[in-house]
Amino acid sequence: MSASVGRAVLRAAPWPTLLGGCVAAAALFGIAAALRHGALAFPLSLLGLGLCGATAAYVLDEASAEVEDATPTGRRARVAWRLPIALLPFAVGAAAVLMLDDPGGAAGWDRLVPVAAASVACGLGVASALRRSGRLAPGDLASAIAFGLVFLAVAFEPLDAWVSLAPLESPSYPLATALAWALVLLSCAAVLAACERDPGRPANRKETV
Amino acid sequence: MPAARSPLVPLAWIEAKRFARHPLFLTGFVLALVFSGGEYGPAELDHQFVPAFFVGLFGLVVAARLTASTRRSEAVVDAAPVSETTRTAALCAACLVPAAAALIVVVFFRLVLAIFYDPRPAYSYGVFTTGERYVILLVLPVIACLGAPLLGVAVGRWLRFPGAPLLVAVALFVWGMLAGYRPSQMGASTWPARILHMLTPYTAWIEHNGSGDLWVPTVVRSLTGSPAWFAVWTLALCALAACAALLHGAEGRVRRAVVRASCVAGAVAVTSLTLAVVTGYSVTHDSSSEGTVVSDSRTPLPPHP
């Protein structure tokens, strides 16, 4: 796919929604920073990270995908052009938790950077799975699902018996936590790769003579 | 010739079934039941958060999605002999589904506690009377789960940008969190803190020094305000949300009626908010096995032994 077509694919991204989501997440991080020494800073940060993932869920929205699929622009190539946009919500989330981090403080906020990455990956993964099911612009639904998944996973810690997903106050970053987030990232990448095949192209094409 | 039957009831029934079958609503409902299947944390009065979050906030997103779902076929729907106001009223009536779900959740929680757990010590309920406890545990969560989806209908009608339901849900959550817990950090007995603590659709009623699932707190701090008047205030907010939804597309006589209803709901809201602030508890109290004393909310609670 030529660079000019790629730039057109980039221009067609839902920029107002993406930028609005980033601004909303930044606003939440701003409130968290204002209350950083209170008990509310952590849940506010989690909401901000959830919003970063929710914003990333809009990156793949293509209302006219049915038409575009019929043109010589592969779905994977279009997704490849769109994916760098997801760095924007990730950058907002990662920068915010790094700025919240106080090197002398008890809580290591920088440990939430993997949560920011996983949140964005989760948004993309859910969106691509929904796209595979025929929704061309699944951002609205995918964002709600991704936000709920990330927020519930970190705020309620359902896997607390095995692994803490946001170990802010442990002396060192636990290996189990790193493995858990790496697993989430890999799973989302696998879902993205599997679901963004060009429609109509069989997975294993057998050559016949 | 028989009088024409109002289309509102069959429409409301259809919308209620759509609401009840929505995967997001079902997920929230199941999660709320799971989190109510035992003791909820160390403080029972905090359980209201579970239905309000899982059924209420999820319900907001569901209601907004159901409302917006007809947008693509608006031209066809508008040609049907049913006004937009009637369709919106049917959606508002369908919001009784999450309210009923919240009632099931809180009753389920009461049953689980009654059957499987020993009663908590009396001080863990703070200064609240038996009636006030029931308002906090049974009435407020149901109203929250009615109000949030009603707001979702209004969002679906008025806000057309992508992500609006999620953004409103997050804003509502942050508003409840800040108004619920921030006043006690700024001196809960001052007038601005007391007003801020009630000026929200969801608020906290206690703080405690318990942690995790197993510790019974040794000190429970009761926050300010009147639970009963707060329930009336949140009910008035529900009415205002419904009026805001109905106002979209309303014309002529119907519009005037909706505006009049909004004014009445607004007056009830202001009155009940004032009464919730003025007639409720004006200072925070710390309750422990040794009794209840007036406390300064800025003093941190003693650590759990």
Side-chain angles (χ1 to χ4, degrees), chain A residues 10-67:
Chain A
L10 275 181
R11 275 199 302 275
W15 284 105
T17 310
L18 292 167
L19 294 176
C22 289
V23 169
L28 278 177
F29 286 121
I31 302 172
L35 307 170
R36 66 189 295 177
H37 299 298
L40 294 178
F42 180 61
L44 283 169
S45 305
L46 292 189
L47 287 174
L49 292 173
L51 264 190
C52 289
T55 306
Y58 287 95
V59 166
L60 302 179
D61 271 14
E62 287 179 313
S64 52
E66 270 176 336
V67 179

Side-chain angles (χ1 to χ4, degrees), chain B residues 45 110 129-141:
Chain B
L45 289 184
R110 303 301 320 153
T129 62
T130 309
E132 287 170 339
R133 283 179 214 167
Y134 278 105
V135 169
I136 295 171
L137 283 166
L138 294 176
V139 180
L140 290 180

Side-chain angles (χ1 to χ4, degrees), chain B residues 29 32-33 36 44 47-52 55 98-114 134-143 145:
Chain B
F29 181 49
L33 286 175
S36 305
E44 201 178 311
H47 177 261
Q48 55 156 344
F49 171 80
V50 172
V55 182
L103 190 62
I104 292 170
V105 170
V106 293
V107 170
F108 175 70
F109 178 63
R110 303 301 320 153
L111 286 175
V112 168
L113 284 193
Y134 278 105
V135 169
I136 295 171
L137 283 166
L138 294 176
V139 180
L140 290 180
V142 176
I143 298 175
C145 293

